[in-house]
Amino acid sequence: MQRAEARPRQHPEGAAPGGGSGGDRAAAAAAGAMDPTRLLEPSLYTVKAIFILDNDGQRLLAKYYDDTFPSTKEQKTFERSVFDKTHKTDSEIAFLEGLTIVYKSSIDLFFYVVGSSQENELMLVAVLTCLFDSLSHMLRKNVEKRSLLDNLDGVFLVVDEIVDGGVILESDPQQVIQKVNFRTVSEPAAYGWTIALCLSKALPRFCNLPKSKLNGPY
């Protein structure tokens, strides 16, 4: 009697040893690759836009940090939609057009910080709080439209110290104000500071110095 020979088990075409077909494994791998939770990677580019509107929804200041809304017309349309959705609500967060928006109002002003739909709301709130507190300090707690327009150059400086290109640089209002003050003193001409204005800021300090100091050598 011939002894039966041991032969390796034949697998169906396209199947792989170890269980499951090759097609099934490929499909599982593709599904894993398409899982959005695996595609999301941490990014420094947290903020998509910052804008301030008046109580009629008109733009007073706006900074956009990517091409989500490439034209001014698209930006203003988006701002109008955001204002319509938020200006009569007591909430501090909204979701619109796949974006996360945190906001705050003060008298006749509305402050908005915009991020992606996956962005951490706490990061956006930190930017919003820093912006509002910095402006409150700069405007001496008079955070309203007229005061803001009178100090618009300084407001832009505050925004630039907090966010640059969508990246959060600073979330401490005291640090923001110190950096803004340093820039305006060290580069007065760049921010519309005339010699007379600089002197008006400096003279009160000299007036309080003792006479011996004023007459001393320079």
Side-chain angles (χ1 to χ4, degrees):
M1 176 182 291
Q2 277 189 323
R3 174 185 278 176
E5 297 181 2
R7 297 183 180 180
R9 187 166 64 176
Q10 300 295 319
H11 298 283
E13 186 177 354
S21 68
D24 292 341
R25 291 190 174 187
M34 295 174 64
D35 185 352
T37 59
R38 296 189 182 186
L39 293 176
L40 294 177
E41 295 181 359
S43 173
L44 293 174
Y45 300 95
T46 304
V47 180
K48 288 183 171 290
I50 293 175
F51 52 89
I52 303 174
L53 309 180
D54 65 14
N55 56 356
D56 293 320
Q58 299 300 310
R59 174 194 287 192
L60 302 177
L61 175 149
K63 298 272 286 190
Y64 285 78
Y65 301 105
D66 64 11
D67 57 356
T68 303
F69 302 100
S71 70
T72 302
K73 181 179 179 180
E74 290 174 293
Q75 292 171 7
K76 289 190 173 182
T77 300
F78 170 67
E79 291 163 16
R80 187 75 226 182
S81 299
V82 171
F83 180 77
D84 290 342
K85 184 179 178 68
T86 60
H87 78 287
K88 291 184 179 180
T89 65
D90 295 327
S91 178
E92 296 180 350
I93 185 169
F95 300 93
L96 184 68
E97 298 187 24
L99 299 171
T100 302
I101 304 153
V102 296
Y103 58 96
K104 182 181 183 70
S105 63
S106 173
I107 308 177
D108 53 358
L109 296 174
F110 288 82
F111 300 82
Y112 296 91
V113 177
V114 182
S116 71
S117 58
Q118 293 86 22
E119 195 53 67
N120 186 334
E121 294 93 340
L122 295 178
M123 295 290 287
L124 300 178
V125 169
V127 172
L128 178 65
T129 301
C130 182
L131 172 63
F132 185 84
D133 290 350
S134 299
L135 293 180
S136 179
H137 183 89
M138 187 182 75
L139 303 176
R140 300 182 180 183
K141 301 187 182 300
N142 188 26
V143 186
E144 49 88 25
K145 181 178 177 178
R146 182 171 181 178
S147 180
L148 183 136
L149 291 176
D150 288 343
N151 297 273
L152 200 54
D153 288 343
V155 177
F156 273 104
L157 287 181
V158 166
V159 173
D160 289 343
E161 288 296 342
I162 298 172
V163 176
D164 182 24
V167 179
I168 300 173
L169 301 180
E170 186 58 72
S171 59
D172 182 351
Q174 294 298 327
Q175 291 295 321
V176 171
I177 292 299
Q178 287 180 15
K179 291 175 182 178
V180 168
N181 287 340
F182 176 79
R183 288 175 65 177
T184 53
V185 170
S186 61
E187 306 172 35
Y191 304 104
W193 281 47
T194 64
I195 294 176
L197 182 57
C198 290
L199 288 174
S200 70
K201 296 286 184 181
L203 281 175
R205 299 181 184 179
F206 287 106
C207 290
N208 294 325
L209 290 176
K211 187 175 181 180
S212 58
K213 294 288 186 181
L214 291 175
N215 295 330
Y218 291 97

